[in-house]
Amino acid sequence: MISISPRQRTFGSYTADVLIYVIVLNLFVEHFDSVVIDSFTISIFTAIVLKILLDTIMAAEHSVSAYFAKREGPLARILRVLAVWIILFASKFLILEVIDIVFGEHVELGGFLMVIGLVVALMVAQAVFRKIYESLGDEPQSVE
């Protein structure tokens, strides 16, 4: 039996995610005129930056959500929803700004709504890939 270390698992996961992001990005470039990436190489680097950004944003969202989840009462629930919504909403502007700073005129992800669509497509594609990957795993063996 082959043993996979946590670092290998993380590397494989990040590699798969970046490849998925490259595919989704290039599909957006092909089908939406407002999304422009100058070259395939730049789309790979864009996918890497998006992976880092989205992981950071999701970690912040989970951390804030967990903080308010520990609190009791209706105010804590309202603050939790509000804080998560602000993070997820503001993050689209962050994504646009970081991509603009890093790539300048070489990458244009469209406007705010296009970035929302792109992020949703990236996350759905990632979830579908993981679901398929997990479904291909070995069935647990019963001991008799």
Side-chain angles (χ1 to χ4, degrees), residues 56-71 76-88:
T56 303
I57 290 163
M58 293 309 293
E61 181 268 327
H62 288 279
S63 176
V64 168
S65 181
Y67 173 81
F68 285 110
K70 293 177 186 174
R71 308 299 186 261
R77 283 188 292 246
I78 291 169
L79 290 175
R80 178 181 178 191
V81 169
L82 184 61
V84 167
W85 186 85
I86 288 170
I87 289 169
L88 295 179

Side-chain angles (χ1 to χ4, degrees), residues 16-30 40 43 47 118 122 125:
D17 287 349
V18 168
L19 293 174
I20 291 165
Y21 285 16
V22 167
I23 292 167
V24 172
L25 278 170
N26 283 290
L27 285 170
F28 268 68
V29 168
E30 184 176 340
F40 182 72
S43 74
L118 177 62
L122 291 170

Side-chain angles (χ1 to χ4, degrees), residues 1 6 9 13-14 23 38 40 49 53 70 87 92 96 99-100 117 120-121 126 130 132-135 143:
M1 172 161 262
R9 188 172 291 111
S13 173
Y14 269 69
I23 292 167
D38 284 353
F40 182 72
V49 170
L53 283 171
K70 293 177 186 174
I87 289 169
K92 305 321 173 266
L96 283 169
I99 293 298
D100 187 48
V120 168
Q126 182 182 38
R130 287 210 172 126
I132 292 169
Y133 179 79
E134 289 169 4
S135 73
V143 178

Side-chain angles (χ1 to χ4, degrees), residues 28-40:
F28 268 68
V29 168
E30 184 176 340
H31 294 287
F32 298 102
D33 293 335
S34 63
V35 179
V36 178
I37 300 178
D38 284 353
S39 71
F40 182 72

